[in-house]
Amino acid sequence: MSASPRRREETGVTPLAYSDLRQRTRERDRSLRDKVTSLEEAAKLVGNGDHLAVGGCTASRTPFAMIWALVRAQKRDLTVSRSIMSTEGDIFYASGLSTHLITSWFSQGIVWGVSKVMRAYTESKRARFEEWSHMAMGLRYRAGAMGVPFLPMRSMLGSDVLGQVSGDGAGPADPSFAAAKTMECPFTGETLLAVPALNPDVAIIHVQRCDAYGNAQLDGLTFMDIDIAMAANRVILTTERVVSNEQIRRHPDQTKIGFFTVDAVVEVPFGCAPHECYGLYEPFYSHMDLYAEMTGRDAEAGAKAYLERFYHEPKDWADYLSRIGMAELLDAQRRGSGIYDD
Amino acid sequence: MTIEAARTGLAGALASRSYTASELLGVMSARLLKDGQTVFAGVGIPLLAAILAQKTHAPGLTILFEGGVIGPFVEAGKLPPSTNEQRCTRRANMLVSITEVLLMLQRGYVDVGFMGGAQIDRYGNLNSSFIGDPANPKIRLPGTGGGNDIASLADMIVAMKHEKRRFVEKVDFITSPGFINGGRTRAEAGLPAGGMFRVVTDLGILGFDEENREMMVLALHPGVTAADIKANTGFELPVPADVPTTEAPAMEELAILRELDPEQLYTA
């Protein structure tokens, strides 16, 4: 962790030498110890200039409470990656937390149309939206999780998506970032695409439950989170509930993220609000409508007003939830609970 | 019907229909799916069409969602707003990670990819990234999501409204590859499998020439003429002299769609 912005080649968006990657793992305390802390303390694990990977996908299991804490802690110059970005991507741009997002898709969501905030920042070139294919994002995290510098794949070839993220293409790829490279298969001679590993400096992931050590049990859609946790050099878990280690040991087959990857555990009920947490609550649709309305006419002024009201003014996470509103919270919970039972 | 009414020369023919353009897309697309296939479906018309096919002629059709869902049961009136949310998983056979479900596509377990599109060209290349010059875009769109992977690795059905601004000579940006520059250029780029199979619009059904891989009209929907198609396409789109007419949506098909989407979120 460093307090000042880091050079880009030092962030986890270009593959590290294997010895460096191993060294970073060796330096961590991987013992079975209590890691429960507060959002504010956990935010200190994120250094300015870090590569931050965000778990979940679109409006699902977004670690919003941790994002909220990072915005309040005024983090800067983060490179942020995620499988698919939704409203949290807008928040990253508008808060100044990041001007560089790496993802495959970025908008509020299909029902709300193209994000006005994303358009305002990217079309004026104040922020970058680095677009990879969805599978490329998955395999980049997986390569990071596997401890290899790249993985081969068979899409993105022939498209302009490749041109944007390959140094030899026509697109405006920044040479200081890892590029995708076409390669000849050493066995068959076929053309494949090599996508570079992502080893995030920090991953933030929200789970339904975990113990104080960070053994996390995920329900439902896991997205890319298991690979992200294995790829990252530090992991912050936020959780709906901290459960006992005894409970984890009763069903070790359900543990998807292991304690040895985890550096901090924060218990935050409704920690994905206004997005959903599988089996517990669906997205807070009326609040998402409010956000779309606030950012609809003047995207930047709307986003600033939103940040003020929901990020900077609340005295704590409970105050944030109360500003969203009890009716909203109960409705989201009613819609989201008991997905298989009713 | 307001969008159609504004379109060149079509107002009369389309206004007399008893179904919306989106319902027509849903029905015509559903008929292209075969029993026993595995289809990678996007949300909206593709999903509605896949469920309609299951409920009519293809009970053994398996739906996959990009979020990692295999064989879900989508409940009427509770359509998922995206392919990555918990509603997608209701009574599914299996949940896997996003990376795994996309690797199933790469391994060859998926017969058909099925999605909507913002912009398409004569070789079936799709754009969902930039309108205008990508270096100085007029509009930055959301990007590919799984679109690039699906179009690269499966036989594609695309469902979209037939408008001149969408059917363009050359897309501003190839987000999801079709036949790229035609002929063998797709395979030469490293994409030996998959490719564009059908484009279903509210005017007709389009396919691609086996040799040069250019788009052509395979059938027109009831009330649509070759002149209508030409007037609403931004490139030369051949219409054979003996082009057949599709069978209009049956009441049963429309009833199933309307039951699935009672609020008309996707079929208005």
Side-chain angles (χ1 to χ4, degrees):
Chain A
M1 183 176 25
S2 59
S4 58
R6 298 159 60 191
R7 293 207 316 278
R8 284 170 170 181
E9 53 271 33
E10 290 176 344
T11 65
V13 293
T14 47
L16 288 168
Y18 185 52
S19 55
D20 292 341
L21 188 65
R22 292 285 295 254
Q23 184 60 32
R24 285 177 198 213
T25 308
R26 267 198 301 275
E27 285 166 2
R28 296 163 74 185
D29 179 355
R30 284 163 281 123
S31 62
L32 198 69
R33 65 192 160 88
D34 188 323
K35 297 160 187 168
V36 174
T37 186
S38 64
L39 285 173
E40 290 73 20
E41 283 302 309
K44 292 177 183 168
L45 290 170
V46 179
N48 290 331
D50 275 356
H51 167 203
L52 178 78
V54 179
C57 185
T58 333
S60 284
R61 250 180 344 85
T62 308
F64 250 124
M66 200 61 235
I67 291 166
W68 180 84
L70 294 175
V71 170
R72 286 159 68 96
Q74 299 187 313
K75 299 295 174 184
R76 286 289 177 274
D77 302 315
L78 302 184
T79 299
V80 179
S81 66
R82 196 185 191 207
S83 62
I84 281 180
M85 293 270 179
S86 175
T87 41
E88 77 289 346
D90 288 2
I91 298 294
F92 290 134
Y93 281 165
S95 68
L97 189 138
S98 176
T99 57
H100 182 192
L101 306 185
I102 304 174
T103 186
S104 67
W105 194 91
F106 179 6
S107 197
Q108 184 174 351
I110 293 165
V111 293
W112 293 280
V114 184
S115 162
K116 300 275 201 327
V117 177
M118 179 277 281
R119 286 192 55 192
Y121 280 86
T122 57
E123 290 168 10
S124 62
K125 300 195 190 309
R126 282 172 296 160
R128 185 164 178 213
F129 159 16
E130 186 178 319
E131 180 181 339
W132 293 72
S133 91
H134 211 25
M135 187 161 75
M137 289 303 298
L139 291 177
R140 294 190 69 189
Y141 288 130
R142 179 152 299 175
M146 291 169 67
V148 294
F150 73 93
L151 277 173
M153 57 177 260
R154 295 181 183 273
S155 61
M156 277 176 71
L157 294 161
S159 73
D160 292 328
V161 178
L162 176 57
Q164 296 279 308
V165 293
S166 63
D168 52 0
D174 182 333
S176 69
F177 287 95
K181 295 184 194 310
T182 54
M183 61 176 282
E184 186 183 304
C185 171
F187 300 101
T188 64
E190 293 169 293
T191 300
L192 299 170
L193 186 72
V195 293
L198 284 173
N199 285 107
D201 296 300
V202 192
I204 56 174
I205 298 171
H206 186 80
V207 302
Q208 284 88 357
R209 61 191 170 279
C210 69
D211 66 13
Y213 310 137
N215 288 300
Q217 300 189 331
L218 276 72
D219 297 331
L221 299 164
T222 55
F223 305 117
M224 300 178 184
D225 292 7
I226 299 165
D227 285 332
I228 289 172
M230 284 292 285
N233 286 304
R234 290 189 293 280
V235 175
I236 301 170
L237 290 186
T238 54
T239 181
E240 292 289 325
R241 278 197 306 142
V242 173
V243 300
S244 68
N245 180 251
E246 286 71 31
Q247 182 173 332
I248 296 293
R249 288 177 192 269
R250 278 198 290 271
H251 300 285
D253 56 320
Q254 299 302 309
T255 306
K256 308 282 174 66
I257 294 173
F259 71 94
F260 50 89
T261 66
V262 175
D263 299 88
V265 170
V266 189
E267 188 173 43
V268 204
F270 290 95
C272 302
H275 288 181
E276 75 173 20
C277 187
Y278 190 98
L280 297 172
Y281 46 93
E282 279 200 342
F284 293 41
Y285 290 123
S286 303
H287 187 79
M288 301 277 277
D289 290 343
L290 169 74
Y291 175 80
E293 192 190 310
M294 284 182 76
T295 54
R297 276 182 296 278
D298 184 337
E300 286 175 66
K304 292 275 186 263
Y306 183 87
L307 281 168
E308 205 48 43
R309 184 163 146 199
F310 293 101
Y311 279 68
H312 299 304
E313 288 174 4
K315 64 179 191 295
D316 53 25
W317 182 250
D319 189 13
Y320 165 88
L321 292 176
S322 69
R323 282 165 187 248
I324 291 178
M326 181 64 82
E328 269 288 274
L329 195 139
L330 291 175
D331 180 53
Q333 187 178 45
R334 179 189 59 75
R335 283 184 279 109
S337 57
I339 176 153
Y340 299 118
D341 304 333
D342 52 356
Chain B
M1 283 301 187
T2 49
I3 294 170
E4 278 75 33
R7 280 157 49 183
T8 323
L10 267 171
L14 298 182
S16 63
R17 289 173 173 174
S18 59
Y19 39 83
T20 67
S22 297
E23 287 174 338
L24 179 63
L25 284 176
V27 169
M28 293 299 171
S29 303
R31 291 176 184 172
L32 292 174
L33 298 171
K34 296 188 180 71
D35 198 19
Q37 284 183 325
T38 299
V39 56
F40 211 110
V43 107
I45 298 294
L47 174 58
L48 286 170
I51 300 168
L52 174 57
Q54 282 179 329
K55 288 179 184 285
T56 52
H57 62 279
L61 183 80
T62 296
I63 297 172
L64 300 192
F65 288 132
E66 166 189 294
V69 184
I70 299 167
F73 175 89
V74 178
E75 195 176 349
K78 286 192 177 176
L79 293 169
S82 84
T83 51
N84 303 290
E85 279 158 78
Q86 56 180 333
R87 282 185 188 183
C88 296
T89 69
R90 187 175 280 266
R91 289 173 56 193
N93 287 286
M94 187 179 184
L95 301 185
V96 297
S97 76
I98 290 175
T99 310
E100 298 306 330
V101 81
L102 292 170
L103 287 173
M104 283 177 62
L105 192 68
Q106 181 168 280
R107 173 64 179 83
Y109 276 101
V110 181
D111 300 295
V112 181
F114 190 177
M115 58 192 187
Q119 205 183 42
I120 193 166
D121 65 22
R122 72 166 74 225
Y123 296 114
N125 300 304
L126 292 163
N127 175 18
S128 58
S129 297
F130 299 95
I131 298 296
D133 175 6
N136 279 299
K138 207 161 81 184
I139 303 176
R140 183 39 159 129
L141 295 171
T144 165
N148 175 285
D149 304 308
I150 298 167
S152 296
L153 297 163
D155 290 336
M156 288 296 296
I157 299 174
V158 174
M160 60 195 286
K161 295 264 180 74
H162 206 131
E163 298 168 10
K164 210 164 193 163
R165 68 188 179 100
R166 293 175 182 272
F167 282 73
V168 296
E169 181 67 39
K170 192 166 177 21
V171 289
D172 295 332
F173 185 89
I174 301 179
T175 307
S176 303
F179 292 111
I180 307 181
N181 293 315
R184 289 192 33 79
T185 52
R186 179 182 164 98
E188 283 161 7
L191 302 175
M196 281 288 148
F197 172 58
R198 294 288 182 268
V199 179
V200 182
T201 78
D202 51 328
L203 301 186
I205 295 178
L206 319 170
F208 293 83
D209 181 273
E210 286 290 321
E211 289 299 314
N212 64 27
R213 299 300 195 177
E214 287 182 16
M215 198 187 292
M216 58 190 191
V217 176
L218 299 181
L220 298 175
H221 297 322
V224 177
T225 66
D228 294 332
I229 285 258
K230 284 181 193 295
N232 288 287
T233 306
F235 53 88
E236 185 61 36
L237 182 59
V239 185
D242 57 345
V243 68
T245 303
T246 58
E247 199 177 317
M251 277 319 295
E252 189 208 348
E253 292 168 313
L254 293 170
I256 293 170
L257 281 183
R258 287 166 190 172
E259 191 193 326
L260 282 170
D261 187 14
E263 293 173 61
Q264 292 205 296
L265 292 172
Y266 304 105
T267 52

